[in-house]
C-alpha cells in the first residue's frame, strides 16, 4: 500500500513535466544560440520553438543571459565533473590521461544536442562573449592548471612553464578534434570510426600519443632545449 498522499503523488509528475520543459527550452536555446549567436537570438523565438511562454525563461533561468549561461555551463560541467581526481598521485600517467580524454571523446558519440553544443562553443571561439570568458575562468582554468601541474610533476618540474602549458593544450586538442572534426573523419577515412570498439581503440592510441609527447618533453629538457626564440 502506498503511503503517499494524493498531493505527494501529484508532485512527481509535476516535477517531471517541469524538468522536461526546462530541458526542452534549454535544448532549443542551444540550437538557436549556436545558429545566431547570443545577440542574434531572441527570447521570443526560443520560447516559440520550445512551445513555452516567455515567462518560462524568467522562471527557469532568470533572463536571457541566465539561459545562455546555462546553455554553455551545463555541458561543460557534465564533462568536468567526470574529470575529478584525474591528477591523483596514485594514478600513473596513462590512467590519468584516460580519465582526461575519455569524457571528451564520448561527447562526439552522442546525439544532436551535443552537436549543437559543439557548434555553440565553436561560435564562441569566433565571437567570444563576456559570459563565456567568465565560464572559462571559473570552470575550465582550474582543470587546465591541474593538468599542467600533473604534466610538470611527471617531467620532474616544481611548476608548469610555458612549454608545459603548450603540452597540455596539445594533448587536449587531440581529443577535441574528434568532437569537432568527426564529419571530416567520416568523409576522409570512415574506417577509423567504423571499426569494432573504435572509441576504445581511439582512446588508447591517444593515450599512447600523450605518453610519447611526455617522453619527448622530458628528452628536450634533458638536452637543455628551450623554447626561446632564436636571436
Amino acid at each position: 500500500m502506498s503511503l503517499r498522499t494524493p498531493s505527494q503523488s501529484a508532485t512527481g509528475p509535476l516535477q517531471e513535466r517541469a524538468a522536461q520543459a526546462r530541458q526542452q527550452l534549454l535544448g532549443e536555446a542551444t540550437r538557436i544560440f549556436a545558429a545566431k549567436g547570443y545577440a542574434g537570438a531572441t527570447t521570443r523565438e526560443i520560447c516559440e520553438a520550445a512551445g513555452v511562454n516567455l515567462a518560462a525563461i524568467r522562471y527557469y533561468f532568470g533572463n536571457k543571459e541566465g539561459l545562455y549561461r546555462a546553455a554553455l555551463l551545463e555541458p561543460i560541467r557534465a564533462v568536468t565533473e567526470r574529470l575529478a581526481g584525474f591528477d591523483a598521485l596514485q594514478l600513473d600517467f596513462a590512467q590519468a590521461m584516460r580519465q582526461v580524454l575519455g569524457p571528451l571523446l564520448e561527447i562526439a558519440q552522442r546525439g544532436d544536442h551535443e552537436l549543437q553544443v559543439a557548434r555553440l562553443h565553436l561560435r564562441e571561439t569566433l565571437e567570444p562573449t563576456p559570459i563565456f570568458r567568465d565560464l572559462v575562468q571559473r570552470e575550465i582554468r582550474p582543470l587546465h592548471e591541474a593538468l599542467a601541474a600533473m604534466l610538470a610533476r611527471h617531467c620532474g618540474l616544481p611548476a608548469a612553464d610555458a612549454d608545459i602549458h603548450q603540452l597540455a593544450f596539445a594533448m587536449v586538442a587531440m581529443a577535441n578534434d574528434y568532437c569537432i572534426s568527426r564529419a571530416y573523419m567520416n568523409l576522409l577515412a570512415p574506417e577509423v570510426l567504423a571499426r569494432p570498439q573504435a572509441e576504445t581503440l581511439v582512446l588508447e592510441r591517444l593515450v599512447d600519443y600523450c605518453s610519447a609527447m611526455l617522453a619527448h618533453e622530458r628528452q628536450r629538457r634533458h638536452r637543455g632545449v628551450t623554447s626561446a626564440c632564436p636571436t
Side-chain angles (χ1 to χ4, degrees):
M1 177 182 295
S2 173
L3 298 179
R4 293 189 302 173
T5 65
S7 60
Q8 290 174 320
S9 299
T11 300
L14 285 174
Q15 291 176 336
E16 184 177 342
R17 287 197 297 272
Q20 290 174 347
R22 184 185 185 279
Q23 285 305 116
Q24 179 70 13
L25 181 56
L26 190 60
E28 293 297 336
T30 300
R31 179 181 63 82
I32 294 172
F33 283 137
K36 298 186 176 184
Y38 178 73
T42 68
T43 54
R44 183 174 298 279
E45 67 179 321
I46 291 171
C47 289
E48 287 178 354
V52 299
N53 59 46
L54 284 170
I57 290 180
R58 183 168 63 254
Y59 179 77
Y60 292 115
F61 303 101
N63 52 29
K64 180 183 177 182
E65 179 179 328
L67 175 59
Y68 190 71
R69 183 177 291 273
L72 290 169
L73 176 60
E74 292 189 15
I76 290 174
R77 283 194 173 163
V79 173
T80 58
E81 286 173 359
R82 296 188 55 200
L83 303 184
F86 76 84
D87 56 341
L89 294 177
Q90 66 267 27
L91 297 181
D92 63 30
F93 180 73
Q95 291 171 325
M97 292 313 300
R98 285 189 193 96
Q99 193 164 331
V100 170
L101 302 183
L104 300 178
L105 289 175
E106 287 180 12
I107 295 173
Q109 304 168 31
R110 298 175 185 171
D112 181 67
H113 178 68
E114 284 67 31
L115 178 60
Q116 299 302 331
V117 169
R119 286 174 176 163
L120 179 57
H121 282 252
L122 280 173
R123 175 177 283 278
E124 280 288 351
T125 65
L126 299 174
E127 304 171 6
T129 62
I131 299 170
F132 185 70
R133 292 192 188 99
D134 177 64
L135 292 180
V136 168
Q137 293 297 323
R138 291 173 179 270
E139 303 290 331
I140 298 177
R141 176 178 287 277
L143 289 168
H144 171 79
E145 297 288 351
L147 176 57
M150 185 267 285
L151 294 176
R153 186 176 79 243
H154 282 283
C155 283
L157 301 173
D161 57 17
D163 283 344
I164 292 295
H165 283 289
Q166 182 179 356
L167 183 61
F169 290 141
M171 290 179 177
V172 172
M174 291 193 298
N176 281 338
D177 196 45
Y178 279 83
C179 299
I180 64 177
S181 300
R182 198 175 183 90
Y184 288 108
M185 293 175 182
N186 284 328
L187 289 171
L188 297 173
E191 64 273 16
V192 171
L193 299 177
R195 297 172 292 176
Q197 301 294 315
E199 291 77 14
T200 299
L201 292 172
V202 167
L203 175 59
E204 290 305 312
R205 290 299 298 277
L206 293 187
V207 171
D208 287 345
Y209 298 156
C210 289
S211 296
M213 293 164 71
L214 180 69
H216 176 71
E217 185 65 26
R218 287 170 172 164
Q219 291 170 4
R220 289 178 67 253
R221 291 174 182 275
H222 181 71
R223 297 195 306 268
V225 178
T226 69
S227 293
C229 295
T231 58

